[in-house]
Amino acid sequence: MSARPARPRARARAGTEPEAKARSPLKRRVELTLLRDRAHYDALVMGAVANARVSVWIATANVKELRVEAPIGSRARARGRYMSFLDLLDALAARGVELRLLHAGVPSRAFRAELRRRPRPPIEMRRCPRVHLKMIAVDGALLYLGSANLTGAGLGAKGEGRRNFEAGVLTDDDLLLDEMQGTFEAIWTGAECKGCRLRPLCPGPLDELDKIPLR
């Protein structure tokens, strides 16, 4: 799914707004839901992501293995067992959901081990060392922005007293979705690579992906 172009904002009437405010298309009232700590797991991971139908785009600085509850109604759930977040993504991929992961650091050893267990990764991953934003866009309809990385401690999957103190917002606002999906797409496709001053240190510039021969 490609990012939707941002909608132009209607011009303010002369004399009704300061010029600086008129030039800021994102300064307006929007509906937001605050997520703190455990709410990241309940509302974001097991709510929005687990019920995705079209796409899930994730941007994170760090990637670590994340354990989630087994599906409701399964024997594993009845026994209180947990599964890898990648198992959840396997189920989404089987339903045709587009899955993208944009990250900065090398994923943890446990996460890489889970990936190797699969004949085909359920999610496409691209790395940019400058990525520090934390966002999740679901179905082009819900957007999370906050402090949480894709880790168990960050997304509230750890127990009380072990998880991070995190905060973020969840919204269905069209303009924020357009803005952040456009930002994600620009990084993902390598549109930001040409002028990057860290390019000599980059493990693999994203604008060169199409030059890599298929094996």
mmCIF file of all heavy atoms in Angstrom, residues 87-129:
data_model
loop_
_atom_site.group_PDB
_atom_site.id
_atom_site.type_symbol
_atom_site.label_atom_id
_atom_site.label_comp_id
_atom_site.label_asym_id
_atom_site.label_seq_id
_atom_site.Cartn_x
_atom_site.Cartn_y
_atom_site.Cartn_z
ATOM 1 N N ASP A 87 5.073 -15.126 14.962
ATOM 2 C CA ASP A 87 3.969 -16.055 14.708
ATOM 3 C C ASP A 87 2.689 -15.277 14.395
ATOM 4 O O ASP A 87 1.899 -15.674 13.534
ATOM 5 C CB ASP A 87 3.739 -16.971 15.913
ATOM 6 C CG ASP A 87 4.865 -17.971 16.110
ATOM 7 O OD1 ASP A 87 5.435 -18.419 15.101
ATOM 8 O OD2 ASP A 87 5.178 -18.294 17.274
ATOM 9 N N LEU A 88 2.489 -14.192 15.111
ATOM 10 C CA LEU A 88 1.340 -13.334 14.831
ATOM 11 C C LEU A 88 1.447 -12.748 13.431
ATOM 12 O O LEU A 88 0.464 -12.709 12.674
ATOM 13 C CB LEU A 88 1.269 -12.213 15.873
ATOM 14 C CG LEU A 88 0.217 -11.116 15.654
ATOM 15 C CD1 LEU A 88 -1.187 -11.699 15.650
ATOM 16 C CD2 LEU A 88 0.332 -10.048 16.732
ATOM 17 N N LEU A 89 2.658 -12.328 13.057
ATOM 18 C CA LEU A 89 2.851 -11.788 11.715
ATOM 19 C C LEU A 89 2.665 -12.856 10.647
ATOM 20 O O LEU A 89 2.193 -12.559 9.537
ATOM 21 C CB LEU A 89 4.242 -11.155 11.598
ATOM 22 C CG LEU A 89 4.520 -9.954 12.504
ATOM 23 C CD1 LEU A 89 5.878 -9.342 12.167
ATOM 24 C CD2 LEU A 89 3.427 -8.898 12.389
ATOM 25 N N ASP A 90 3.041 -14.095 10.948
ATOM 26 C CA ASP A 90 2.797 -15.211 10.012
ATOM 27 C C ASP A 90 1.313 -15.304 9.676
ATOM 28 O O ASP A 90 0.927 -15.481 8.514
ATOM 29 C CB ASP A 90 3.266 -16.540 10.616
ATOM 30 C CG ASP A 90 4.770 -16.723 10.569
ATOM 31 O OD1 ASP A 90 5.416 -16.142 9.676
ATOM 32 O OD2 ASP A 90 5.297 -17.454 11.418
ATOM 33 N N ALA A 91 0.479 -15.195 10.706
ATOM 34 C CA ALA A 91 -0.969 -15.290 10.507
ATOM 35 C C ALA A 91 -1.477 -14.117 9.670
ATOM 36 O O ALA A 91 -2.344 -14.290 8.805
ATOM 37 C CB ALA A 91 -1.678 -15.339 11.855
ATOM 38 N N LEU A 92 -0.934 -12.927 9.914
ATOM 39 C CA LEU A 92 -1.350 -11.762 9.134
ATOM 40 C C LEU A 92 -0.912 -11.910 7.675
ATOM 41 O O LEU A 92 -1.682 -11.609 6.751
ATOM 42 C CB LEU A 92 -0.749 -10.485 9.729
ATOM 43 C CG LEU A 92 -1.256 -10.075 11.114
ATOM 44 C CD1 LEU A 92 -0.527 -8.818 11.577
ATOM 45 C CD2 LEU A 92 -2.756 -9.817 11.096
ATOM 46 N N ALA A 93 0.318 -12.362 7.471
ATOM 47 C CA ALA A 93 0.819 -12.540 6.109
ATOM 48 C C ALA A 93 -0.015 -13.567 5.345
ATOM 49 O O ALA A 93 -0.261 -13.415 4.146
ATOM 50 C CB ALA A 93 2.285 -12.963 6.138
ATOM 51 N N ALA A 94 -0.454 -14.618 6.049
ATOM 52 C CA ALA A 94 -1.289 -15.644 5.417
ATOM 53 C C ALA A 94 -2.628 -15.067 4.954
ATOM 54 O O ALA A 94 -3.253 -15.600 4.025
ATOM 55 C CB ALA A 94 -1.512 -16.798 6.383
ATOM 56 N N ARG A 95 -3.069 -13.978 5.599
ATOM 57 C CA ARG A 95 -4.319 -13.319 5.206
ATOM 58 C C ARG A 95 -4.084 -12.262 4.133
ATOM 59 O O ARG A 95 -5.011 -11.572 3.727
ATOM 60 C CB ARG A 95 -4.988 -12.654 6.417
ATOM 61 C CG ARG A 95 -5.386 -13.598 7.526
ATOM 62 C CD ARG A 95 -6.511 -13.016 8.368
ATOM 63 N NE ARG A 95 -6.194 -11.755 8.991
ATOM 64 C CZ ARG A 95 -5.835 -11.603 10.269
ATOM 65 N NH1 ARG A 95 -5.736 -12.679 11.048
ATOM 66 N NH2 ARG A 95 -5.585 -10.417 10.776
ATOM 67 N N GLY A 96 -2.834 -12.118 3.689
ATOM 68 C CA GLY A 96 -2.524 -11.162 2.637
ATOM 69 C C GLY A 96 -2.211 -9.768 3.122
ATOM 70 O O GLY A 96 -2.173 -8.830 2.315
ATOM 71 N N VAL A 97 -1.965 -9.602 4.412
ATOM 72 C CA VAL A 97 -1.641 -8.276 4.951
ATOM 73 C C VAL A 97 -0.208 -7.907 4.571
ATOM 74 O O VAL A 97 0.713 -8.713 4.725
ATOM 75 C CB VAL A 97 -1.799 -8.255 6.493
ATOM 76 C CG1 VAL A 97 -1.393 -6.900 7.053
ATOM 77 C CG2 VAL A 97 -3.235 -8.590 6.874
ATOM 78 N N GLU A 98 -0.016 -6.697 4.055
ATOM 79 C CA GLU A 98 1.320 -6.207 3.719
ATOM 80 C C GLU A 98 2.031 -5.790 5.005
ATOM 81 O O GLU A 98 1.514 -4.973 5.767
ATOM 82 C CB GLU A 98 1.227 -5.012 2.777
ATOM 83 C CG GLU A 98 2.593 -4.434 2.422
ATOM 84 C CD GLU A 98 2.506 -3.058 1.774
ATOM 85 O OE1 GLU A 98 1.859 -2.158 2.381
ATOM 86 O OE2 GLU A 98 3.061 -2.880 0.691
ATOM 87 N N LEU A 99 3.234 -6.334 5.231
ATOM 88 C CA LEU A 99 3.962 -6.079 6.474
ATOM 89 C C LEU A 99 5.326 -5.492 6.159
ATOM 90 O O LEU A 99 6.117 -6.080 5.412
ATOM 91 C CB LEU A 99 4.128 -7.386 7.256
ATOM 92 C CG LEU A 99 2.827 -8.124 7.602
ATOM 93 C CD1 LEU A 99 3.135 -9.502 8.171
ATOM 94 C CD2 LEU A 99 1.990 -7.312 8.574
ATOM 95 N N ARG A 100 5.617 -4.329 6.739
ATOM 96 C CA ARG A 100 6.896 -3.664 6.535
ATOM 97 C C ARG A 100 7.499 -3.277 7.884
ATOM 98 O O ARG A 100 6.786 -2.809 8.768
ATOM 99 C CB ARG A 100 6.722 -2.384 5.709
ATOM 100 C CG ARG A 100 6.297 -2.570 4.267
ATOM 101 C CD ARG A 100 6.228 -1.201 3.597
ATOM 102 N NE ARG A 100 5.896 -1.266 2.194
ATOM 103 C CZ ARG A 100 5.873 -0.195 1.384
ATOM 104 N NH1 ARG A 100 6.158 1.008 1.888
ATOM 105 N NH2 ARG A 100 5.553 -0.319 0.118
ATOM 106 N N LEU A 101 8.807 -3.452 7.997
ATOM 107 C CA LEU A 101 9.520 -3.071 9.216
ATOM 108 C C LEU A 101 10.739 -2.242 8.838
ATOM 109 O O LEU A 101 11.659 -2.723 8.181
ATOM 110 C CB LEU A 101 9.947 -4.320 9.995
ATOM 111 C CG LEU A 101 10.811 -4.095 11.242
ATOM 112 C CD1 LEU A 101 10.112 -3.191 12.234
ATOM 113 C CD2 LEU A 101 11.167 -5.432 11.887
ATOM 114 N N LEU A 102 10.735 -0.989 9.250
ATOM 115 C CA LEU A 102 11.839 -0.069 9.024
ATOM 116 C C LEU A 102 12.555 0.112 10.359
ATOM 117 O O LEU A 102 11.935 0.531 11.343
ATOM 118 C CB LEU A 102 11.277 1.261 8.520
ATOM 119 C CG LEU A 102 12.232 2.350 8.047
ATOM 120 C CD1 LEU A 102 13.077 1.875 6.879
ATOM 121 C CD2 LEU A 102 11.435 3.593 7.651
ATOM 122 N N HIS A 103 13.844 -0.213 10.404
ATOM 123 C CA HIS A 103 14.550 -0.204 11.694
ATOM 124 C C HIS A 103 15.955 0.354 11.539
ATOM 125 O O HIS A 103 16.506 0.420 10.436
ATOM 126 C CB HIS A 103 14.601 -1.615 12.289
ATOM 127 C CG HIS A 103 15.311 -2.615 11.415
ATOM 128 N ND1 HIS A 103 16.569 -3.092 11.710
ATOM 129 C CD2 HIS A 103 14.943 -3.223 10.261
ATOM 130 C CE1 HIS A 103 16.949 -3.959 10.763
ATOM 131 N NE2 HIS A 103 15.976 -4.055 9.882
ATOM 132 N N ALA A 104 16.557 0.716 12.683
ATOM 133 C CA ALA A 104 17.891 1.312 12.674
ATOM 134 C C ALA A 104 18.964 0.316 13.091
ATOM 135 O O ALA A 104 19.993 0.184 12.425
ATOM 136 C CB ALA A 104 17.930 2.530 13.592
ATOM 137 N N GLY A 105 18.755 -0.358 14.216
ATOM 138 C CA GLY A 105 19.776 -1.248 14.746
ATOM 139 C C GLY A 105 19.649 -2.671 14.246
ATOM 140 O O GLY A 105 18.639 -3.062 13.646
ATOM 141 N N VAL A 106 20.692 -3.450 14.497
ATOM 142 C CA VAL A 106 20.653 -4.875 14.173
ATOM 143 C C VAL A 106 19.680 -5.555 15.132
ATOM 144 O O VAL A 106 19.764 -5.356 16.346
ATOM 145 C CB VAL A 106 22.054 -5.504 14.318
ATOM 146 C CG1 VAL A 106 21.994 -7.010 14.079
ATOM 147 C CG2 VAL A 106 23.030 -4.835 13.362
ATOM 148 N N PRO A 107 18.721 -6.347 14.637
ATOM 149 C CA PRO A 107 17.769 -7.020 15.530
ATOM 150 C C PRO A 107 18.484 -7.921 16.528
ATOM 151 O O PRO A 107 19.598 -8.399 16.279
ATOM 152 C CB PRO A 107 16.898 -7.832 14.559
ATOM 153 C CG PRO A 107 16.987 -7.087 13.265
ATOM 154 C CD PRO A 107 18.391 -6.558 13.213
ATOM 155 N N SER A 108 17.836 -8.170 17.641
ATOM 156 C CA SER A 108 18.433 -9.004 18.689
ATOM 157 C C SER A 108 18.683 -10.423 18.188
ATOM 158 O O SER A 108 18.085 -10.887 17.200
ATOM 159 C CB SER A 108 17.521 -9.045 19.917
ATOM 160 O OG SER A 108 16.341 -9.793 19.622
ATOM 161 N N ARG A 109 19.549 -11.134 18.886
ATOM 162 C CA ARG A 109 19.878 -12.513 18.515
ATOM 163 C C ARG A 109 18.632 -13.402 18.536
ATOM 164 O O ARG A 109 18.443 -14.238 17.652
ATOM 165 C CB ARG A 109 20.936 -13.071 19.483
ATOM 166 C CG ARG A 109 21.400 -14.478 19.153
ATOM 167 C CD ARG A 109 22.452 -14.944 20.145
ATOM 168 N NE ARG A 109 23.591 -14.043 20.169
ATOM 169 C CZ ARG A 109 24.616 -14.181 21.009
ATOM 170 N NH1 ARG A 109 24.616 -15.149 21.912
ATOM 171 N NH2 ARG A 109 25.625 -13.322 20.957
ATOM 172 N N ALA A 110 17.778 -13.210 19.544
ATOM 173 C CA ALA A 110 16.569 -14.024 19.644
ATOM 174 C C ALA A 110 15.617 -13.760 18.480
ATOM 175 O O ALA A 110 14.997 -14.685 17.942
ATOM 176 C CB ALA A 110 15.865 -13.762 20.975
ATOM 177 N N PHE A 111 15.493 -12.502 18.075
ATOM 178 C CA PHE A 111 14.622 -12.165 16.950
ATOM 179 C C PHE A 111 15.169 -12.782 15.666
ATOM 180 O O PHE A 111 14.411 -13.351 14.860
ATOM 181 C CB PHE A 111 14.531 -10.646 16.810
ATOM 182 C CG PHE A 111 13.557 -10.180 15.762
ATOM 183 C CD1 PHE A 111 12.229 -9.932 16.078
ATOM 184 C CD2 PHE A 111 13.968 -9.988 14.440
ATOM 185 C CE1 PHE A 111 11.320 -9.507 15.114
ATOM 186 C CE2 PHE A 111 13.075 -9.562 13.477
ATOM 187 C CZ PHE A 111 11.754 -9.322 13.810
ATOM 188 N N ARG A 112 16.484 -12.709 15.475
ATOM 189 C CA ARG A 112 17.088 -13.277 14.269
ATOM 190 C C ARG A 112 16.929 -14.797 14.247
ATOM 191 O O ARG A 112 16.724 -15.398 13.191
ATOM 192 C CB ARG A 112 18.572 -12.899 14.183
ATOM 193 C CG ARG A 112 18.803 -11.392 14.106
ATOM 194 C CD ARG A 112 20.203 -11.045 13.582
ATOM 195 N NE ARG A 112 21.266 -11.714 14.306
ATOM 196 C CZ ARG A 112 21.872 -11.221 15.381
ATOM 197 N NH1 ARG A 112 21.475 -10.052 15.900
ATOM 198 N NH2 ARG A 112 22.850 -11.878 15.956
ATOM 199 N N ALA A 113 16.998 -15.423 15.421
ATOM 200 C CA ALA A 113 16.809 -16.875 15.497
ATOM 201 C C ALA A 113 15.390 -17.255 15.095
ATOM 202 O O ALA A 113 15.168 -18.255 14.395
ATOM 203 C CB ALA A 113 17.119 -17.373 16.903
ATOM 204 N N GLU A 114 14.406 -16.454 15.522
ATOM 205 C CA GLU A 114 13.014 -16.709 15.132
ATOM 206 C C GLU A 114 12.836 -16.548 13.625
ATOM 207 O O GLU A 114 12.101 -17.316 12.991
ATOM 208 C CB GLU A 114 12.067 -15.764 15.879
ATOM 209 C CG GLU A 114 11.765 -16.179 17.304
ATOM 210 C CD GLU A 114 10.903 -17.436 17.373
ATOM 211 O OE1 GLU A 114 10.187 -17.733 16.398
ATOM 212 O OE2 GLU A 114 10.951 -18.123 18.405
ATOM 213 N N LEU A 115 13.506 -15.570 13.045
ATOM 214 C CA LEU A 115 13.434 -15.387 11.593
ATOM 215 C C LEU A 115 14.009 -16.582 10.857
ATOM 216 O O LEU A 115 13.456 -17.036 9.850
ATOM 217 C CB LEU A 115 14.184 -14.121 11.179
ATOM 218 C CG LEU A 115 13.463 -12.785 11.255
ATOM 219 C CD1 LEU A 115 14.401 -11.663 10.806
ATOM 220 C CD2 LEU A 115 12.209 -12.775 10.392
ATOM 221 N N ARG A 116 15.120 -17.110 11.354
ATOM 222 C CA ARG A 116 15.779 -18.234 10.675
ATOM 223 C C ARG A 116 14.948 -19.506 10.730
ATOM 224 O O ARG A 116 15.133 -20.407 9.892
ATOM 225 C CB ARG A 116 17.161 -18.482 11.280
ATOM 226 C CG ARG A 116 18.192 -17.416 10.907
ATOM 227 C CD ARG A 116 19.597 -17.879 11.241
ATOM 228 N NE ARG A 116 19.789 -18.042 12.667
ATOM 229 C CZ ARG A 116 20.229 -17.089 13.483
ATOM 230 N NH1 ARG A 116 20.520 -15.895 12.997
ATOM 231 N NH2 ARG A 116 20.389 -17.317 14.773
ATOM 232 N N ARG A 117 14.029 -19.597 11.690
ATOM 233 C CA ARG A 117 13.183 -20.788 11.788
ATOM 234 C C ARG A 117 12.171 -20.855 10.653
ATOM 235 O O ARG A 117 11.571 -21.898 10.405
ATOM 236 C CB ARG A 117 12.409 -20.796 13.118
ATOM 237 C CG ARG A 117 13.200 -21.106 14.345
ATOM 238 C CD ARG A 117 12.325 -21.574 15.495
ATOM 239 N NE ARG A 117 11.185 -20.696 15.761
ATOM 240 C CZ ARG A 117 9.924 -21.000 15.484
ATOM 241 N NH1 ARG A 117 9.630 -22.133 14.864
ATOM 242 N NH2 ARG A 117 8.946 -20.168 15.792
ATOM 243 N N ARG A 118 11.981 -19.764 9.974
ATOM 244 C CA ARG A 118 10.949 -19.688 8.948
ATOM 245 C C ARG A 118 11.554 -19.809 7.555
ATOM 246 O O ARG A 118 12.556 -19.152 7.257
ATOM 247 C CB ARG A 118 10.190 -18.349 9.068
ATOM 248 C CG ARG A 118 9.383 -18.275 10.339
ATOM 249 C CD ARG A 118 9.026 -16.857 10.736
ATOM 250 N NE ARG A 118 8.016 -16.880 11.791
ATOM 251 C CZ ARG A 118 8.283 -17.166 13.077
ATOM 252 N NH1 ARG A 118 9.528 -17.403 13.448
ATOM 253 N NH2 ARG A 118 7.315 -17.191 13.968
ATOM 254 N N PRO A 119 10.934 -20.599 6.681
ATOM 255 C CA PRO A 119 11.453 -20.696 5.317
ATOM 256 C C PRO A 119 11.367 -19.368 4.572
ATOM 257 O O PRO A 119 12.159 -19.080 3.678
ATOM 258 C CB PRO A 119 10.553 -21.754 4.655
ATOM 259 C CG PRO A 119 9.308 -21.779 5.493
ATOM 260 C CD PRO A 119 9.757 -21.471 6.886
ATOM 261 N N ARG A 120 10.398 -18.534 4.990
ATOM 262 C CA ARG A 120 10.230 -17.220 4.374
ATOM 263 C C ARG A 120 9.771 -16.234 5.448
ATOM 264 O O ARG A 120 8.755 -16.466 6.099
ATOM 265 C CB ARG A 120 9.200 -17.288 3.254
ATOM 266 C CG ARG A 120 9.013 -15.977 2.519
ATOM 267 C CD ARG A 120 8.048 -16.142 1.372
ATOM 268 N NE ARG A 120 7.859 -14.889 0.650
ATOM 269 C CZ ARG A 120 7.086 -14.742 -0.422
ATOM 270 N NH1 ARG A 120 6.421 -15.803 -0.875
ATOM 271 N NH2 ARG A 120 6.984 -13.579 -1.016
ATOM 272 N N PRO A 121 10.509 -15.128 5.646
ATOM 273 C CA PRO A 121 10.092 -14.145 6.658
ATOM 274 C C PRO A 121 8.714 -13.584 6.330
ATOM 275 O O PRO A 121 8.420 -13.299 5.166
ATOM 276 C CB PRO A 121 11.174 -13.066 6.556
ATOM 277 C CG PRO A 121 12.349 -13.735 5.931
ATOM 278 C CD PRO A 121 11.772 -14.744 4.994
ATOM 279 N N PRO A 122 7.860 -13.402 7.329
ATOM 280 C CA PRO A 122 6.520 -12.869 7.071
ATOM 281 C C PRO A 122 6.507 -11.369 6.813
ATOM 282 O O PRO A 122 5.513 -10.838 6.335
ATOM 283 C CB PRO A 122 5.770 -13.199 8.359
ATOM 284 C CG PRO A 122 6.824 -13.181 9.416
ATOM 285 C CD PRO A 122 8.050 -13.745 8.755
ATOM 286 N N ILE A 123 7.615 -10.690 7.140
ATOM 287 C CA ILE A 123 7.652 -9.229 7.053
ATOM 288 C C ILE A 123 8.879 -8.790 6.274
ATOM 289 O O ILE A 123 9.964 -9.355 6.420
ATOM 290 C CB ILE A 123 7.648 -8.607 8.468
ATOM 291 C CG1 ILE A 123 7.466 -7.093 8.402
ATOM 292 C CG2 ILE A 123 8.900 -8.989 9.248
ATOM 293 C CD1 ILE A 123 7.163 -6.465 9.768
ATOM 294 N N GLU A 124 8.707 -7.770 5.421
ATOM 295 C CA GLU A 124 9.836 -7.210 4.698
ATOM 296 C C GLU A 124 10.524 -6.194 5.601
ATOM 297 O O GLU A 124 9.864 -5.347 6.204
ATOM 298 C CB GLU A 124 9.372 -6.531 3.405
ATOM 299 C CG GLU A 124 10.519 -6.040 2.546
ATOM 300 C CD GLU A 124 10.081 -5.432 1.224
ATOM 301 O OE1 GLU A 124 8.852 -5.395 0.977
ATOM 302 O OE2 GLU A 124 10.953 -4.983 0.457
ATOM 303 N N MET A 125 11.850 -6.280 5.675
ATOM 304 C CA MET A 125 12.605 -5.432 6.580
ATOM 305 C C MET A 125 13.628 -4.604 5.812
ATOM 306 O O MET A 125 14.297 -5.116 4.913
ATOM 307 C CB MET A 125 13.321 -6.290 7.639
ATOM 308 C CG MET A 125 12.385 -7.112 8.485
ATOM 309 S SD MET A 125 13.240 -8.301 9.570
ATOM 310 C CE MET A 125 14.225 -7.190 10.593
ATOM 311 N N ARG A 126 13.744 -3.337 6.174
ATOM 312 C CA ARG A 126 14.769 -2.468 5.612
ATOM 313 C C ARG A 126 15.389 -1.663 6.746
ATOM 314 O O ARG A 126 14.693 -1.235 7.660
ATOM 315 C CB ARG A 126 14.187 -1.539 4.539
ATOM 316 C CG ARG A 126 13.672 -2.293 3.334
ATOM 317 C CD ARG A 126 13.256 -1.381 2.192
ATOM 318 N NE ARG A 126 12.749 -2.177 1.085
ATOM 319 C CZ ARG A 126 12.323 -1.685 -0.074
ATOM 320 N NH1 ARG A 126 12.352 -0.365 -0.263
ATOM 321 N NH2 ARG A 126 11.873 -2.477 -1.025
ATOM 322 N N ARG A 127 16.700 -1.460 6.629
ATOM 323 C CA ARG A 127 17.432 -0.807 7.718
ATOM 324 C C ARG A 127 17.987 0.543 7.293
ATOM 325 O O ARG A 127 18.613 0.664 6.238
ATOM 326 C CB ARG A 127 18.575 -1.714 8.174
ATOM 327 C CG ARG A 127 19.341 -1.180 9.376
ATOM 328 C CD ARG A 127 20.490 -2.086 9.730
ATOM 329 N NE ARG A 127 21.314 -1.507 10.788
ATOM 330 C CZ ARG A 127 22.558 -1.867 11.047
ATOM 331 N NH1 ARG A 127 23.123 -2.841 10.343
ATOM 332 N NH2 ARG A 127 23.231 -1.282 12.014
ATOM 333 N N CYS A 128 17.767 1.543 8.128
ATOM 334 C CA CYS A 128 18.352 2.872 7.959
ATOM 335 C C CYS A 128 18.848 3.324 9.329
ATOM 336 O O CYS A 128 18.046 3.472 10.257
ATOM 337 C CB CYS A 128 17.318 3.863 7.414
ATOM 338 S SG CYS A 128 17.882 5.595 7.466
ATOM 339 N N PRO A 129 20.147 3.516 9.501
ATOM 340 C CA PRO A 129 20.692 3.887 10.817
ATOM 341 C C PRO A 129 20.148 5.187 11.383
ATOM 342 O O PRO A 129 20.260 5.429 12.580
ATOM 343 C CB PRO A 129 22.202 3.995 10.549
ATOM 344 C CG PRO A 129 22.443 3.161 9.334
ATOM 345 C CD PRO A 129 21.210 3.328 8.495
#
